[in-house]
Amino acid sequence: MDDIAAWFAGRLPEEWFEGTVEVTVDREEVVVVGTLPAPEVEQDALASAAAGRVERFREETRAARMRIADQAEERFGRKVAWGAACGPVRTVFTNVAVPVMTRLRQPERLVLDTLVEAGVARSRSEALAWSVKLVAQHEGDWVQQLRDSLGAVRAARAAGPRL
């Protein structure tokens, strides 16, 4: 995972983003989100100006981002999604939708159906996404602790004997 983030750090044009680029990796996808400089406008206009800056970045860099994504997909075997943050705006342009519904058993599907029937979500997939966001919101520290622990496990495996 660190190899993927390092590759993007070396591959991305330096003028695109400020600071370190956020690279999030799972089994199917790499999401790359960089920070754009915030526009110098009045505070009450910042959200609109930032949204415009993100849209401009998306349009102006599309061809170059797609070339880089093609290279990364070939190298790492995962799809690449792009995003940008600017002031209060954070947008991911595209994401891979992975079908996980087939792995849910009936009790879990019934929970999703209840959310749909109650009007919380329009579909099972939207209900599942809502549920995951809710857990992340309320258990953020715990989830981060798990991620940190996984990093330590990976480091211990890497330092261990090779077969």
Side-chain angles (χ1 to χ4, degrees):
M1 308 299 175
D2 291 337
D3 182 46
I4 296 173
W7 185 85
F8 275 99
R11 179 63 183 87
L12 294 177
E14 293 174 7
E15 65 272 8
W16 277 8
F17 301 117
E18 294 183 329
T20 304
V21 174
E22 176 188 325
V23 178
T24 309
V25 180
D26 68 12
R27 283 183 272 196
E28 290 85 16
E29 181 178 39
V30 178
V31 179
V32 180
V33 179
T35 302
L36 303 172
E40 293 183 23
V41 297
E42 298 293 326
Q43 188 65 30
D44 60 340
L46 182 59
S48 293
R53 182 154 292 172
V54 168
E55 288 173 21
R56 184 182 77 195
F57 171 81
R58 183 179 187 184
E59 292 168 6
E60 291 178 355
T61 62
R62 181 173 278 121
R65 286 185 295 106
M66 294 307 102
R67 278 193 305 276
I68 295 168
D70 289 343
Q71 294 167 356
E73 288 172 13
E74 185 175 317
R75 183 179 185 111
F76 302 113
R78 294 172 171 93
K79 292 292 185 187
V80 175
W82 295 93
C86 183
V89 175
R90 185 179 194 281
T91 304
V92 175
F93 307 143
T94 56
N95 269 112
V96 172
V98 179
V100 294
M101 208 63 65
T102 56
R103 301 198 193 287
L104 295 179
R105 303 287 185 236
Q106 187 179 37
E108 292 90 8
R109 292 191 309 266
L110 289 172
V111 170
L112 299 178
D113 290 343
T114 300
L115 293 172
V116 171
E117 289 176 30
V120 173
R122 292 176 296 200
S123 64
R124 281 181 173 176
S125 61
E126 189 176 282
L128 182 60
W130 180 86
S131 300
V132 170
K133 288 176 187 172
L134 186 64
V135 169
Q137 177 185 350
H138 291 289
E139 300 299 331
D141 292 339
W142 179 76
V143 171
Q144 186 58 49
Q145 191 176 19
L146 284 176
R147 287 184 181 132
D148 293 344
S149 297
L150 287 172
V153 168
R154 285 187 198 101
R157 283 184 186 154
R162 300 280 182 223
L163 297 178

